[in-house]
Amino acid sequence: MAQLYYRYSTMNAGKSTELIKVAHNYEERGKNVLCLIPEIACDDGKPVISSRIGISREAHIVSQRDNILTMFADLNAMKKIDCVLVDECQFLTKQNVEQLAEIVDSFDVPVICYGLKNDFRNQLFEGAYHLLVFADKIEEIKTICWCGRKATMVARISEGKIVRTGDQIGLDKGEYISLCRKHYNDGTIYEPKN
């Protein structure tokens, strides 16, 4: 029985790497996957899912206006799709998430979404909120803060300091790092030098 999965983490935890690995495993067994990435997350509008470790794969771009259910049905009619994989799912809309849930329910095809949960202000993204509501399985992909504790926060850094205000989506507005709650709250972004 297919399910809607939401696999979340902070930055640099290997979400895109995991997605590419899952796609490879399906394809190695002769299965077809549909990889999706929100338009807002595409570098230079290229339909590519990229990992920071240097691996990538092509994907279909999804805009906030697209009907993912219709896209899936059209592509599935041409060639049976066995799994849908979504990168940067935090940028999805409520309607996008509902459409992914409908793919699971109507076509019995698993949908696995990878993305952030909270932004640099520690607020939920729209896609994350609705995946927390609709997902059958919610799984955390863990990574660590510079101190070795589990990182649960995303910090936006500008001029060496944490920025706590501004637009939620600002891919070009600074560097993003993962921190534990303690260091996010106290603003310590790197190990102090003695």
Side-chain angles (χ1 to χ4, degrees):
M1 185 142 185
Q3 294 185 316
L4 175 59
Y5 296 84
Y6 175 34
R7 295 179 176 164
Y8 72 91
S9 187
T10 59
M11 303 288 293
N12 299 315
K15 297 177 296 295
S16 298
T17 303
E18 176 73 16
L19 181 152
I20 293 167
K21 182 184 86 171
V22 169
H24 173 76
N25 288 341
Y26 267 88
E27 291 169 344
E28 190 174 52
R29 289 161 181 80
K31 306 288 186 185
N32 298 308
V33 297
L34 172 60
C35 292
L36 304 173
I37 186 166
E39 181 177 47
I40 194 165
C42 292
D43 293 333
D44 302 323
K46 294 178 185 169
V48 175
I49 294 170
S50 302
S51 171
R52 286 181 175 82
I53 66 169
I55 58 175
S56 62
R57 70 168 290 127
E58 289 188 19
H60 290 266
I61 295 176
V62 177
S63 78
Q64 293 185 340
R65 299 168 306 285
D66 286 337
N67 185 318
I68 297 173
L69 181 60
T70 301
M71 175 191 294
F72 172 86
D74 291 346
L75 293 169
N76 191 54
M78 293 186 280
K79 181 166 65 170
K80 181 183 179 322
I81 296 171
D82 299 293
C83 182
V84 177
L85 302 169
V86 184
D87 200 25
E88 303 289 357
C89 64
Q90 71 270 11
F91 297 130
L92 297 175
T93 64
K94 178 184 180 187
Q95 292 76 22
N96 293 150
V97 172
E98 290 172 338
Q99 292 157 4
L100 292 171
E102 190 61 33
I103 291 169
V104 172
D105 297 342
S106 295
F107 292 89
D108 197 32
V109 170
V111 175
I112 308 172
C113 300
Y114 295 86
L116 300 173
K117 183 179 57 143
N118 43 302
D119 66 15
F120 73 99
R121 301 169 303 179
N122 203 26
Q123 301 293 313
L124 291 175
F125 284 95
E126 179 179 0
Y129 174 85
H130 293 290
L131 281 161
L132 287 168
V133 171
F134 286 100
D136 299 299
K137 288 213 174 170
I138 300 167
E139 302 167 343
E140 181 181 23
I141 300 171
K142 295 177 176 69
T143 192
I144 60 171
C145 177
W146 61 263
C147 69
R149 289 187 189 119
K150 182 173 100 170
T152 58
M153 313 298 249
V154 174
R156 183 185 286 174
I157 309 300
S158 180
E159 298 178 11
K161 295 188 178 169
I162 292 179
V163 177
R164 300 185 192 273
T165 60
D167 294 335
Q168 182 178 53
I169 300 171
L171 301 175
D172 58 348
K173 303 236 190 248
E175 174 190 3
Y176 292 87
I177 62 170
S178 297
L179 296 172
C180 66
R181 182 180 57 241
K182 176 185 183 329
H183 291 119
Y184 174 86
N185 286 335
D186 72 17
T188 309
I189 59 175
Y190 301 109
E191 184 171 12
K193 294 182 177 158
N194 295 330

Short mmCIF file of all heavy atoms in Angstrom, two decimals, residues 7 18-37 49 56-60 71-72 75-76 78-87 100 103 109-112 114:
data_model
loop_
_atom_site.label_atom_id
_atom_site.label_comp_id
_atom_site.label_asym_id
_atom_site.label_seq_id
_atom_site.Cartn_x
_atom_site.Cartn_y
_atom_site.Cartn_z
N ARG A 7 10.18 13.51 4.43
CA ARG A 7 11.50 13.35 5.04
C ARG A 7 12.14 14.73 5.12
O ARG A 7 12.45 15.33 4.09
CB ARG A 7 12.35 12.38 4.22
CG ARG A 7 11.75 10.98 4.23
CD ARG A 7 12.53 9.98 3.43
NE ARG A 7 11.94 8.65 3.57
CZ ARG A 7 12.19 7.64 2.76
NH1 ARG A 7 13.05 7.78 1.77
NH2 ARG A 7 11.60 6.47 2.96
N GLU A 18 19.95 11.66 -0.72
CA GLU A 18 19.05 10.54 -0.41
C GLU A 18 18.02 10.36 -1.52
O GLU A 18 17.76 9.23 -1.95
CB GLU A 18 18.35 10.79 0.93
CG GLU A 18 17.33 9.76 1.30
CD GLU A 18 17.92 8.42 1.74
OE1 GLU A 18 19.11 8.35 2.05
OE2 GLU A 18 17.15 7.44 1.75
N LEU A 19 17.45 11.45 -2.02
CA LEU A 19 16.48 11.36 -3.11
C LEU A 19 17.11 10.72 -4.34
O LEU A 19 16.53 9.83 -4.96
CB LEU A 19 15.94 12.75 -3.44
CG LEU A 19 14.89 12.83 -4.54
CD1 LEU A 19 13.97 14.03 -4.32
CD2 LEU A 19 15.48 12.90 -5.93
N ILE A 20 18.30 11.17 -4.71
CA ILE A 20 18.99 10.64 -5.89
C ILE A 20 19.28 9.15 -5.70
O ILE A 20 19.15 8.35 -6.63
CB ILE A 20 20.25 11.47 -6.21
CG1 ILE A 20 19.84 12.89 -6.64
CG2 ILE A 20 21.10 10.79 -7.27
CD1 ILE A 20 20.99 13.89 -6.68
N LYS A 21 19.66 8.77 -4.50
CA LYS A 21 19.93 7.35 -4.19
C LYS A 21 18.65 6.52 -4.33
O LYS A 21 18.67 5.44 -4.92
CB LYS A 21 20.49 7.22 -2.77
CG LYS A 21 20.82 5.79 -2.38
CD LYS A 21 21.28 5.72 -0.94
CE LYS A 21 20.04 5.59 -0.08
NZ LYS A 21 20.29 5.29 1.32
N VAL A 22 17.53 7.02 -3.80
CA VAL A 22 16.26 6.29 -3.91
C VAL A 22 15.86 6.14 -5.38
O VAL A 22 15.45 5.06 -5.81
CB VAL A 22 15.16 6.99 -3.08
CG1 VAL A 22 13.78 6.41 -3.39
CG2 VAL A 22 15.46 6.89 -1.59
N ALA A 23 16.00 7.21 -6.16
CA ALA A 23 15.69 7.13 -7.59
C ALA A 23 16.54 6.07 -8.27
O ALA A 23 16.05 5.26 -9.07
CB ALA A 23 15.89 8.50 -8.25
N HIS A 24 17.83 6.06 -7.97
CA HIS A 24 18.74 5.07 -8.55
C HIS A 24 18.30 3.65 -8.19
O HIS A 24 18.30 2.75 -9.05
CB HIS A 24 20.17 5.32 -8.07
CG HIS A 24 21.13 4.27 -8.47
ND1 HIS A 24 21.64 4.16 -9.76
CD2 HIS A 24 21.66 3.24 -7.77
CE1 HIS A 24 22.44 3.11 -9.82
NE2 HIS A 24 22.48 2.53 -8.63
N ASN A 25 17.94 3.43 -6.93
CA ASN A 25 17.52 2.10 -6.49
C ASN A 25 16.28 1.63 -7.25
O ASN A 25 16.19 0.47 -7.66
CB ASN A 25 17.27 2.07 -4.98
CG ASN A 25 18.56 2.15 -4.19
OD1 ASN A 25 19.64 1.88 -4.70
ND2 ASN A 25 18.45 2.56 -2.94
N TYR A 26 15.31 2.51 -7.42
CA TYR A 26 14.11 2.14 -8.20
C TYR A 26 14.50 1.80 -9.64
O TYR A 26 14.07 0.78 -10.19
CB TYR A 26 13.10 3.29 -8.20
CG TYR A 26 12.07 3.21 -7.11
CD1 TYR A 26 12.31 3.77 -5.87
CD2 TYR A 26 10.83 2.59 -7.31
CE1 TYR A 26 11.36 3.71 -4.84
CE2 TYR A 26 9.88 2.52 -6.31
CZ TYR A 26 10.16 3.08 -5.08
OH TYR A 26 9.21 3.01 -4.09
N GLU A 27 15.28 2.66 -10.26
CA GLU A 27 15.63 2.47 -11.67
C GLU A 27 16.50 1.24 -11.87
O GLU A 27 16.38 0.55 -12.90
CB GLU A 27 16.31 3.73 -12.21
CG GLU A 27 15.33 4.88 -12.30
CD GLU A 27 15.96 6.23 -12.57
OE1 GLU A 27 17.20 6.38 -12.40
OE2 GLU A 27 15.22 7.15 -12.94
N GLU A 28 17.35 0.94 -10.92
CA GLU A 28 18.19 -0.25 -11.01
C GLU A 28 17.35 -1.53 -11.04
O GLU A 28 17.76 -2.55 -11.58
CB GLU A 28 19.15 -0.28 -9.81
CG GLU A 28 20.23 -1.34 -9.92
CD GLU A 28 21.22 -1.22 -8.79
OE1 GLU A 28 20.80 -1.19 -7.61
OE2 GLU A 28 22.43 -1.15 -9.09
N ARG A 29 16.16 -1.45 -10.50
CA ARG A 29 15.23 -2.59 -10.49
C ARG A 29 14.20 -2.52 -11.61
O ARG A 29 13.18 -3.20 -11.59
CB ARG A 29 14.56 -2.67 -9.13
CG ARG A 29 15.53 -3.12 -8.05
CD ARG A 29 15.07 -2.80 -6.66
NE ARG A 29 16.03 -3.22 -5.65
CZ ARG A 29 17.12 -2.54 -5.31
NH1 ARG A 29 17.43 -1.43 -5.93
NH2 ARG A 29 17.94 -2.99 -4.37
N GLY A 30 14.45 -1.65 -12.59
CA GLY A 30 13.58 -1.55 -13.76
C GLY A 30 12.31 -0.75 -13.54
O GLY A 30 11.38 -0.82 -14.34
N LYS A 31 12.27 0.03 -12.48
CA LYS A 31 11.09 0.85 -12.15
C LYS A 31 11.29 2.26 -12.67
O LYS A 31 12.41 2.73 -12.85
CB LYS A 31 10.85 0.89 -10.65
CG LYS A 31 10.74 -0.47 -9.98
CD LYS A 31 9.47 -1.15 -10.33
CE LYS A 31 9.30 -2.44 -9.54
NZ LYS A 31 8.13 -3.18 -9.95
N ASN A 32 10.17 2.96 -12.87
CA ASN A 32 10.20 4.33 -13.36
C ASN A 32 9.88 5.30 -12.24
O ASN A 32 8.92 5.09 -11.49
CB ASN A 32 9.20 4.52 -14.49
CG ASN A 32 9.51 3.65 -15.68
OD1 ASN A 32 10.64 3.66 -16.17
ND2 ASN A 32 8.55 2.88 -16.13
N VAL A 33 10.67 6.35 -12.13
CA VAL A 33 10.42 7.38 -11.12
C VAL A 33 10.15 8.71 -11.79
O VAL A 33 10.64 8.98 -12.90
CB VAL A 33 11.61 7.53 -10.14
CG1 VAL A 33 11.82 6.26 -9.35
CG2 VAL A 33 12.87 7.94 -10.85
N LEU A 34 9.35 9.51 -11.11
CA LEU A 34 9.10 10.89 -11.53
C LEU A 34 9.71 11.77 -10.46
O LEU A 34 9.29 11.74 -9.31
CB LEU A 34 7.59 11.15 -11.65
CG LEU A 34 7.18 12.61 -11.90
CD1 LEU A 34 7.78 13.14 -13.21
CD2 LEU A 34 5.66 12.73 -11.89
N CYS A 35 10.75 12.52 -10.84
CA CYS A 35 11.40 13.44 -9.90
C CYS A 35 10.91 14.85 -10.18
O CYS A 35 10.89 15.29 -11.33
CB CYS A 35 12.92 13.37 -10.06
SG CYS A 35 13.63 11.81 -9.52
N LEU A 36 10.52 15.54 -9.11
CA LEU A 36 9.98 16.89 -9.21
C LEU A 36 10.78 17.84 -8.34
O LEU A 36 11.27 17.46 -7.28
CB LEU A 36 8.52 16.91 -8.74
CG LEU A 36 7.54 15.97 -9.44
CD1 LEU A 36 6.19 16.00 -8.74
CD2 LEU A 36 7.41 16.34 -10.91
N ILE A 37 10.88 19.09 -8.80
CA ILE A 37 11.51 20.14 -8.02
C ILE A 37 10.73 21.44 -8.24
O ILE A 37 10.40 21.77 -9.38
CB ILE A 37 13.01 20.31 -8.37
CG1 ILE A 37 13.68 21.31 -7.43
CG2 ILE A 37 13.21 20.68 -9.82
CD1 ILE A 37 15.19 21.31 -7.46
N ILE A 49 18.00 18.27 -9.95
CA ILE A 49 18.16 18.11 -8.51
C ILE A 49 19.64 17.89 -8.27
O ILE A 49 20.22 16.96 -8.84
CB ILE A 49 17.33 16.92 -7.99
CG1 ILE A 49 15.83 17.22 -8.17
CG2 ILE A 49 17.67 16.61 -6.54
CD1 ILE A 49 14.93 16.03 -7.93
N SER A 56 23.87 14.70 -9.30
CA SER A 56 22.64 15.37 -9.72
C SER A 56 21.86 14.46 -10.66
O SER A 56 22.36 13.45 -11.13
CB SER A 56 22.96 16.69 -10.41
OG SER A 56 23.72 16.46 -11.58
N ARG A 57 20.62 14.87 -10.92
CA ARG A 57 19.78 14.17 -11.88
C ARG A 57 18.71 15.13 -12.37
O ARG A 57 18.36 16.08 -11.69
CB ARG A 57 19.19 12.90 -11.30
CG ARG A 57 18.14 13.09 -10.26
CD ARG A 57 17.37 11.82 -9.91
NE ARG A 57 16.52 11.41 -10.98
CZ ARG A 57 16.51 10.19 -11.53
NH1 ARG A 57 17.31 9.26 -11.08
NH2 ARG A 57 15.69 9.89 -12.50
N GLU A 58 18.21 14.83 -13.55
CA GLU A 58 17.16 15.67 -14.14
C GLU A 58 15.86 15.48 -13.39
O GLU A 58 15.60 14.44 -12.79
CB GLU A 58 16.99 15.33 -15.62
CG GLU A 58 18.16 15.78 -16.46
CD GLU A 58 17.90 15.62 -17.96
OE1 GLU A 58 16.73 15.50 -18.36
OE2 GLU A 58 18.89 15.61 -18.69
N ALA A 59 15.03 16.52 -13.47
CA ALA A 59 13.73 16.50 -12.80
C ALA A 59 12.75 17.33 -13.61
O ALA A 59 13.15 18.07 -14.51
CB ALA A 59 13.85 17.06 -11.40
N HIS A 60 11.49 17.19 -13.29
CA HIS A 60 10.46 18.04 -13.86
C HIS A 60 10.25 19.22 -12.92
O HIS A 60 10.13 19.04 -11.71
CB HIS A 60 9.14 17.29 -14.02
CG HIS A 60 9.17 16.24 -15.08
ND1 HIS A 60 8.75 16.47 -16.37
CD2 HIS A 60 9.59 14.96 -15.04
CE1 HIS A 60 8.90 15.37 -17.08
NE2 HIS A 60 9.41 14.44 -16.29
N MET A 71 -0.27 16.42 -14.17
CA MET A 71 1.05 16.13 -14.74
C MET A 71 1.37 14.64 -14.57
O MET A 71 1.81 13.98 -15.51
CB MET A 71 2.13 16.97 -14.07
CG MET A 71 3.55 16.66 -14.52
SD MET A 71 4.84 17.44 -13.50
CE MET A 71 4.56 19.16 -13.84
N PHE A 72 1.17 14.14 -13.36
CA PHE A 72 1.43 12.73 -13.09
C PHE A 72 0.57 11.83 -13.98
O PHE A 72 1.08 10.88 -14.59
CB PHE A 72 1.16 12.40 -11.61
CG PHE A 72 1.22 10.93 -11.33
CD1 PHE A 72 2.42 10.32 -11.04
CD2 PHE A 72 0.07 10.15 -11.37
CE1 PHE A 72 2.49 8.95 -10.80
CE2 PHE A 72 0.13 8.78 -11.14
CZ PHE A 72 1.33 8.18 -10.85
N LEU A 75 1.84 11.79 -17.61
CA LEU A 75 3.10 11.06 -17.76
C LEU A 75 2.91 9.57 -17.48
O LEU A 75 3.51 8.73 -18.16
CB LEU A 75 4.16 11.64 -16.83
CG LEU A 75 4.63 13.06 -17.17
CD1 LEU A 75 5.47 13.63 -16.03
CD2 LEU A 75 5.39 13.09 -18.48
N ASN A 76 2.08 9.24 -16.53
CA ASN A 76 1.80 7.84 -16.18
C ASN A 76 1.08 7.12 -17.31
O ASN A 76 1.28 5.92 -17.51
CB ASN A 76 0.98 7.78 -14.89
CG ASN A 76 0.87 6.39 -14.33
OD1 ASN A 76 1.87 5.72 -14.11
ND2 ASN A 76 -0.35 5.96 -14.08
N MET A 78 1.66 7.60 -20.42
CA MET A 78 2.67 7.30 -21.43
C MET A 78 3.61 6.17 -20.98
O MET A 78 4.02 5.35 -21.77
CB MET A 78 3.49 8.55 -21.76
CG MET A 78 2.68 9.62 -22.46
SD MET A 78 3.70 11.01 -22.98
CE MET A 78 3.86 11.90 -21.46
N LYS A 79 3.96 6.18 -19.68
CA LYS A 79 4.86 5.17 -19.12
C LYS A 79 4.56 5.07 -17.63
O LYS A 79 4.63 6.08 -16.91
CB LYS A 79 6.32 5.59 -19.36
CG LYS A 79 7.33 4.60 -18.84
CD LYS A 79 8.74 4.84 -19.36
CE LYS A 79 9.32 6.14 -18.88
NZ LYS A 79 10.77 6.27 -19.19
N LYS A 80 4.24 3.87 -17.18
CA LYS A 80 3.86 3.67 -15.78
C LYS A 80 4.92 4.21 -14.84
O LYS A 80 6.10 3.88 -14.95
CB LYS A 80 3.64 2.18 -15.51
CG LYS A 80 3.20 1.88 -14.08
CD LYS A 80 3.08 0.38 -13.84
CE LYS A 80 2.68 0.02 -12.44
NZ LYS A 80 3.20 0.78 -11.35
N ILE A 81 4.49 5.04 -13.90
CA ILE A 81 5.38 5.60 -12.89
C ILE A 81 5.21 4.80 -11.60
O ILE A 81 4.09 4.60 -11.12
CB ILE A 81 5.08 7.10 -12.65
CG1 ILE A 81 5.36 7.89 -13.94
CG2 ILE A 81 5.89 7.65 -11.49
CD1 ILE A 81 4.90 9.32 -13.92
N ASP A 82 6.33 4.36 -11.03
CA ASP A 82 6.30 3.52 -9.84
C ASP A 82 6.54 4.29 -8.55
O ASP A 82 6.25 3.80 -7.46
CB ASP A 82 7.35 2.42 -9.97
CG ASP A 82 7.06 1.52 -11.16
OD1 ASP A 82 6.05 0.82 -11.14
OD2 ASP A 82 7.86 1.56 -12.14
N CYS A 83 7.08 5.50 -8.65
CA CYS A 83 7.37 6.30 -7.47
C CYS A 83 7.53 7.77 -7.87
O CYS A 83 8.08 8.05 -8.94
CB CYS A 83 8.64 5.81 -6.78
SG CYS A 83 9.07 6.67 -5.26
N VAL A 84 7.06 8.67 -7.02
CA VAL A 84 7.25 10.11 -7.22
C VAL A 84 8.17 10.61 -6.12
O VAL A 84 7.95 10.33 -4.94
CB VAL A 84 5.92 10.88 -7.19
CG1 VAL A 84 6.15 12.38 -7.33
CG2 VAL A 84 4.97 10.38 -8.27
N LEU A 85 9.22 11.34 -6.51
CA LEU A 85 10.19 11.90 -5.57
C LEU A 85 10.20 13.41 -5.74
O LEU A 85 10.30 13.90 -6.86
CB LEU A 85 11.58 11.32 -5.83
CG LEU A 85 11.70 9.81 -5.74
CD1 LEU A 85 13.05 9.35 -6.26
CD2 LEU A 85 11.49 9.34 -4.31
N VAL A 86 10.10 14.14 -4.63
CA VAL A 86 10.04 15.60 -4.68
C VAL A 86 11.16 16.17 -3.82
O VAL A 86 11.28 15.85 -2.64
CB VAL A 86 8.68 16.12 -4.15
CG1 VAL A 86 8.60 17.65 -4.31
CG2 VAL A 86 7.51 15.44 -4.85
N ASP A 87 11.99 17.03 -4.42
CA ASP A 87 13.03 17.72 -3.67
C ASP A 87 12.55 19.13 -3.33
O ASP A 87 11.69 19.69 -4.02
CB ASP A 87 14.32 17.80 -4.51
CG ASP A 87 15.56 18.06 -3.67
OD1 ASP A 87 15.56 17.73 -2.47
OD2 ASP A 87 16.54 18.59 -4.23
N LEU A 100 -0.36 15.60 -4.40
CA LEU A 100 0.54 14.48 -4.14
C LEU A 100 -0.16 13.39 -3.33
O LEU A 100 -0.01 12.20 -3.61
CB LEU A 100 1.80 14.96 -3.41
CG LEU A 100 2.74 15.86 -4.22
CD1 LEU A 100 3.82 16.44 -3.32
CD2 LEU A 100 3.35 15.11 -5.40
N ILE A 103 -2.32 11.39 -5.61
CA ILE A 103 -1.56 10.41 -6.39
C ILE A 103 -1.43 9.11 -5.59
O ILE A 103 -1.65 8.02 -6.11
CB ILE A 103 -0.16 10.97 -6.78
CG1 ILE A 103 -0.31 12.09 -7.81
CG2 ILE A 103 0.74 9.86 -7.32
CD1 ILE A 103 0.97 12.89 -8.05
N VAL A 109 0.57 4.87 -5.74
CA VAL A 109 1.98 5.10 -6.04
C VAL A 109 2.59 5.86 -4.87
O VAL A 109 2.05 6.88 -4.44
CB VAL A 109 2.14 5.91 -7.36
CG1 VAL A 109 3.57 6.38 -7.56
CG2 VAL A 109 1.67 5.09 -8.54
N PRO A 110 3.72 5.38 -4.33
CA PRO A 110 4.35 6.10 -3.23
C PRO A 110 4.91 7.45 -3.68
O PRO A 110 5.43 7.58 -4.79
CB PRO A 110 5.47 5.17 -2.76
CG PRO A 110 5.73 4.26 -3.91
CD PRO A 110 4.46 4.17 -4.69
N VAL A 111 4.78 8.43 -2.79
CA VAL A 111 5.33 9.77 -3.02
C VAL A 111 6.23 10.08 -1.83
O VAL A 111 5.79 10.01 -0.68
CB VAL A 111 4.23 10.82 -3.15
CG1 VAL A 111 4.83 12.22 -3.27
CG2 VAL A 111 3.32 10.53 -4.34
N ILE A 112 7.50 10.40 -2.13
CA ILE A 112 8.47 10.69 -1.08
C ILE A 112 8.96 12.13 -1.27
O ILE A 112 9.54 12.45 -2.31
CB ILE A 112 9.66 9.71 -1.11
CG1 ILE A 112 9.16 8.26 -1.11
CG2 ILE A 112 10.58 9.97 0.08
CD1 ILE A 112 10.24 7.22 -1.34
N TYR A 114 11.18 15.43 0.13
CA TYR A 114 12.36 15.81 0.90
C TYR A 114 12.43 17.33 0.99
O TYR A 114 12.28 18.01 -0.02
CB TYR A 114 13.64 15.32 0.21
CG TYR A 114 13.75 13.82 0.13
CD1 TYR A 114 13.17 13.10 -0.91
CD2 TYR A 114 14.46 13.11 1.10
CE1 TYR A 114 13.27 11.72 -0.98
CE2 TYR A 114 14.58 11.74 1.04
CZ TYR A 114 13.99 11.05 0.00
OH TYR A 114 14.11 9.68 -0.06
#
